[in-house]
Amino acid sequence: MDEDVAESPKSPSTADDGSGKIARDVAIKSKLLVRAIAEGGRFAFADFKVALGHLRPGPLLAGAVMLIAIGYALTGVYSVAPGEAAVVRRFGAIVQPSVEPGLHYRLPWPVDRVDIVDVTSVRREQVGISAPEEEHIHPEPPAKLQALSGDTNVVDVEVIVQYQVREPANYILNVEYAPYRIVRDALRASVTRLVTRLPVDALLTSGRQSLQQAIREETQSRLDQYRTGLVIVGVDLQKAFPPANVADAFTAVNTAREEKARLINEARGYANSLVPEARGQAQQLKAQAAAYRSAVLARASGTARAFDLLWDEYRKNAEAYGEDVTRYRMYLETIEKIMPRVQVYALDTAKGGSFNLRLYGAQNGAPTNGEAER
């Protein structure tokens, strides 16, 4: 036990000697390697100096500078593909707001800067639709768009808008983040403002078309006010419907409204078929009344004229034969007109004349109608 304790202090000394030897070997080999690299580089530089010693450094430097200048100048060449437009800025100020497709040149960096914008692609953004659109995913989750109608009813609105870049310069300078966010926020503000102008019944039925056009105009006005350089190509008002908890009640109201409209249309159709017929009958009655009036007036005028003529004849006969004879003759003519089938006999009763009319008729035969036996 004592021997082990006595020998234990010698172990660290032996380990230190081994590690020190390894370190010395590594240091020696490193020095040799560095010396070899340095000597090889010196030899290579000497060989390079010998090979190019006959060349003058001035022309070499001028040629190198010229090549660098040519390469730097060529960096100003750029191309614009079809359907794109370029905006050239010089120290931040726009010098060419819209460059046509083709090969062009601008001053190299850092003088000029070129930004190329796609101006033909129609971009699409949906607002109020809870399901994300395929190949059109945004970091923000989709959210509903609810607005308050003019009669204080909550309405869910789903809109799809299509837009594209119209002014590349304004788009580059003023749109600092994703363009769909500007379009989406402008569309939300427009829908919220315009829906408050219409009652919920108009939003669900007849006012949807006018609301869609108003939303497009309002959104475009806001984008122009922000100077975004974007243009609204189309707005499609997909749905404007009440929330789910009151959808059944609104459906019942719409059904009743459609039934009311149907009954009104049927009543108008019946009126349209009945009124012309009644008007025709009225015109017919008026024509018949006018004809009857004309006939009565003509008959009355003729009767009056005949009476005037008869009165003239009566006065003439009265002067010639006496009023009694003329009056009696007129009496007999009137009796013949009133009773055309009655045989009239005149008897002179003043002198006592009499005879049997029955025997007279059997012997002589019945006289003709209107004949008077005297």
Side-chain angles (χ1 to χ4, degrees), residues 7-324:
E7 291 178 359
S8 60
K10 296 180 180 180
S11 299
S13 176
T14 305
D16 292 340
D17 292 341
S19 60
K21 185 178 180 180
I22 294 173
R24 286 193 298 272
D25 293 340
V26 171
I28 293 171
K29 292 180 179 180
S30 299
K31 289 180 181 179
L32 293 175
L33 179 62
V34 171
R35 183 180 299 176
I37 293 174
E39 290 178 355
R42 185 170 61 252
F43 294 151
F45 179 75
D47 295 340
F48 182 76
K49 184 176 180 181
V50 172
L52 300 178
H54 65 285
L55 298 178
R56 297 181 180 179
L60 289 176
L61 182 61
V65 171
M66 185 175 296
L67 289 176
I68 294 173
I70 293 173
Y72 176 73
L74 290 178
T75 58
V77 178
Y78 67 97
S79 63
V80 181
E84 296 179 342
V87 179
V88 180
R89 289 184 285 178
R90 181 167 299 164
F91 297 114
I94 295 178
V95 293
Q96 293 180 345
S98 181
V99 180
E100 299 294 332
L103 192 65
H104 304 278
Y105 184 80
R106 48 91 178 177
L107 296 179
W109 182 88
V111 180
D112 288 352
R113 174 181 174 179
V114 176
D115 297 293
I116 297 178
V117 182
D118 186 355
V119 295
T120 57
S121 297
V122 178
R123 310 176 190 186
R124 173 188 171 104
E125 178 64 20
Q126 60 184 22
V127 179
I129 301 177
S130 57
E133 189 176 3
E134 296 181 359
E135 300 180 358
H136 195 203
I137 301 175
H138 304 320
E140 306 87 353
K144 289 185 177 181
L145 175 57
Q146 291 185 334
L148 195 66
S149 64
D151 50 359
T152 64
N153 285 291
V154 178
V155 181
D156 292 341
V157 182
E158 294 182 359
V159 186
I160 295 178
V161 60
Q162 296 175 340
Y163 63 97
Q164 61 182 171
V165 179
R166 179 176 60 186
E167 299 176 1
N170 287 336
Y171 177 75
I172 292 296
L173 293 181
N174 300 324
V175 179
E176 299 180 356
Y177 52 97
Y180 74 87
R181 297 178 59 186
I182 297 179
V183 175
R184 181 191 60 191
D185 295 342
L187 185 64
R188 283 181 172 272
S190 300
V191 171
T192 304
R193 179 174 178 270
L194 294 173
V195 168
T196 57
R197 298 181 178 181
L198 298 175
V200 66
D201 294 338
L203 291 175
L204 300 178
T205 55
S206 60
R208 293 187 58 181
Q209 189 65 30
S210 59
L211 176 62
Q212 179 173 300
Q213 182 64 26
I215 289 174
R216 176 176 180 176
E217 295 176 357
E218 180 75 14
T219 305
Q220 184 63 57
S221 176
R222 290 179 181 273
L223 294 178
D224 293 341
Q225 183 180 358
Y226 301 153
R227 300 180 64 186
T228 60
L230 300 174
V231 58
I232 300 297
V233 177
V235 173
D236 185 9
L237 183 60
Q238 292 285 317
K239 294 181 181 179
F241 55 95
N245 52 354
V246 294
D248 294 339
F250 273 89
T251 302
V253 172
N254 291 333
T255 303
R257 185 179 294 108
E258 292 175 358
E259 183 67 17
K260 174 186 175 182
R262 185 183 66 81
L263 293 176
I264 291 175
N265 291 333
E266 289 180 357
R268 287 178 177 173
Y270 177 72
N272 292 334
S273 63
L274 187 62
V275 170
E277 182 180 356
R279 289 177 179 172
Q281 294 177 357
Q283 293 294 332
Q284 182 180 2
L285 292 176
K286 289 175 64 177
Q288 292 176 357
Y292 177 75
R293 174 179 175 273
S294 300
V296 171
L297 289 177
R299 188 166 54 251
S301 299
T303 304
R305 179 61 179 166
F307 181 80
D308 291 338
L309 296 175
L310 183 61
W311 173 250
D312 294 339
E313 293 297 326
Y314 174 77
R315 286 189 301 173
K316 294 178 181 179
N317 292 332
E319 293 177 357
Y321 305 105
E323 293 182 1
D324 295 337

